Amino acid sequence: MSTIDATLPSTSLDQKFVETDVAIIGAGPCGLFAVFELGLLDLKCHVVDILDRPGGQCAELYPEKPIYDVPALPIVTGQELTDRLLEQIKPFNPVFHFNERIDALSREADGRFRLVSDGGMTLLAKVVVIAAGGGSFTPKRPPLDGIAGYEGSSVFYSVRRIETMRGHDIVIVGGGDSALDWTLNLQPVAKSLTLVHRRDDFRAAPHSVEKMRALVADGKVRLLIGQATTLEGADGKLSAVTIKTADGEESVPCTALLPFFGLTMKLGPVANWGLNLHENLIPVDTERFETSAPGIFAIGDINTYPGKLKLILSGFHEAALMAQAAQKIVYPNKKVVFQYTTSSSSLQKKLGVK
Amino acid sequence: MFAAAEAVRIRPHDLLKCLNSLLGQTNCARCNSELPPAVQMVLATRCRPSPTLSWEISENMTKITFIQPDGAAQTVDAENGLTVMEAAKLNDIAGIEAECGGACACATCHVYVDEAFRAATGKPAAMEEDMLDFAFDVRDGSRLCCQIKITSAIDGLVVRVPAKQF
C-alpha cells in the first residue's frame, strides 16, 4: 500500500496558485471521465487527489482485481480501467495535483470558488466537481488506547522531513514498502530503530527486505515479530510501546511511533464546506448532479439521490449530465449544440482523431 | 432419501409423511423413549419446509455459529458456496464490517476461527496473509471470513468476532 509522502513533488511542478474552469476533487474513474465530458465542451480541468497517482479506489484497492460490470468491458481490472480512462482523457491535457487534499472551499466575490489544499496550493475555479468516492484515503489509526493524543507529536503516519526524526527512539510497525522504506531512511538518524511486524514475512520489495535484514544482522535495526498492545507516555509525549511477541510482552523505549497499517477512506474536509449532507453523502438533483451550493457538483459514490447505485457506470452518466450544466456556468452565452463524437468534425478534432 | 426408503421397504412418499409427523420430536410417539441423538439432530436441524414436499433434507446448508466478544452466540444456516462473510451479512451479525464487500482488500471481516475448525477451514492464502497484516490483534486462527468458503466440510463452524475491526 502506498504511503502519503508530502515530500514528493506533485505533477504540477509545485504550482502554488492555479486558475482554471473546473476543479475536480478526486482522480478516481468518475473524476477522470469527467475530464472527458468537460473537455468535449471546451472546459479545462485541474484534478486534485490525496493519493500519489490516479485511479482512486480502483488503483488503490482493486488494481489487479477484475470488474465485471463496466459497460462494453466484460472483464477489466481496476488498473486497466484507470489506464484506459487516462488514455481517453489525454487529448484534453488535464493537470493533476497528487498528494494534495482540498481542505478549504469558499466563494469569491466574483462567484468563483477558492480551493486551498493541505499542501498550501490555491485553486480558483468557476465550477467545482466533487468526485471524492468513499472519501480521502487516510492512514488507518491502530486501535491502541490513547493513540489520538500522541498523533502529530509522537505518532506519525508519514514523515515530511527526515531531520525531525534525528535522535529519536523510533518504532516502526508494518511489513510493506512504507514500513521498510522508512526503516531504511530513518536508521541513519535514529538513536534506536525497532521494526515490528506480526510475522517474519514481508510484503515489501525484496531488495528492501534484504537491506533491512542486513541492518538487523549488523545490530543497527532491531526486528521484533509481534504486535503493539499499549502505549506509555504523558502530555502527548510517548516514552515506550509494549510489544507482545511469542516470548511474552516487552516494553520498548519509543519517542516516535510510525504505524503503517494501510489506508482507509474518510469523508474528511468535504464535511466542512456547508454542503447539505445525508449520512456522509452529498444529495444532488438528477438533472445536473448539483449539490445544495450552485456551481458545486457531486458525482460518483460520494453523491446520493433516489435510486442511486454506487456503480462506476452511474458515475460516468452523472459526469455527462454534470458537464452540460457546468458548460452553462462557464460559458453562459455560448450557443449549445449537442453533437455526437461519431459524426461531429469539431469534436473529433478536439479528440485528435481526424 | 430414496435409498433409505427402499432399504426399509416403504414408498418414499410414506417415509416422508412419517418423517413429517416426527418434525421437532425428541421422543418416540409410541413408547416415549428418547430418539437416538443422530435422529434427533436430523429432525431438529436439517428440516426445511419446501413447497412441493412437506419435508426435505437440506443437504446444502451449513451451520455457522458467531460468538460476540461478550459471549453472545448466534447460530445461522448458511448456503454452501457462500462465504462466511456473506452469511454474516445476510444474518445481520454485528461486528463484521466487510468494507470492501469481500474483495480481500480491507481486513474488516476479521474473525477468530475456533481451534476445532482450523484444519477444516485451512490456512490463509498469500493474498489474505498480506491483508491480515492490516488487521488488529491477529492471533492463531485469525482469518478474513470473506475468504472462507462454506462447504459441508465445515458444518458447525464456530468463529469469534473481535472486539473491533480495524
Side-chain angles (χ1 to χ4, degrees), chain A residues 10-13 15-27 31-32 34-35 38 43-49 92-98 102 115 121-125 127-130:
Chain A
S10 72
T11 54
S12 64
L13 303 170
Q15 281 178 47
K16 289 297 178 186
F17 184 80
V18 164
E19 286 184 64
T20 189
D21 293 330
V22 182
I24 300 176
I25 301 177
L32 293 178
V35 172
L38 291 161
L43 298 173
K44 297 244 68 71
C45 301
H46 279 240
V47 188
V48 184
D49 200 294
F92 302 114
N93 298 309
V95 179
F96 289 97
H97 304 272
F98 295 122
I102 299 297
L115 300 89
M121 175 184 67
T122 301
L123 264 156
L124 281 182
V127 166
V128 175
V129 178
I130 303 175

Side-chain angles (χ1 to χ4, degrees), chain A residues 34-45 92 323 347 350:
Chain A
V35 172
F36 182 83
E37 289 295 327
L38 291 161
L40 288 177
L41 302 172
D42 297 316
L43 298 173
K44 297 244 68 71
C45 301
F92 302 114
L347 287 188
K350 284 178 212 180

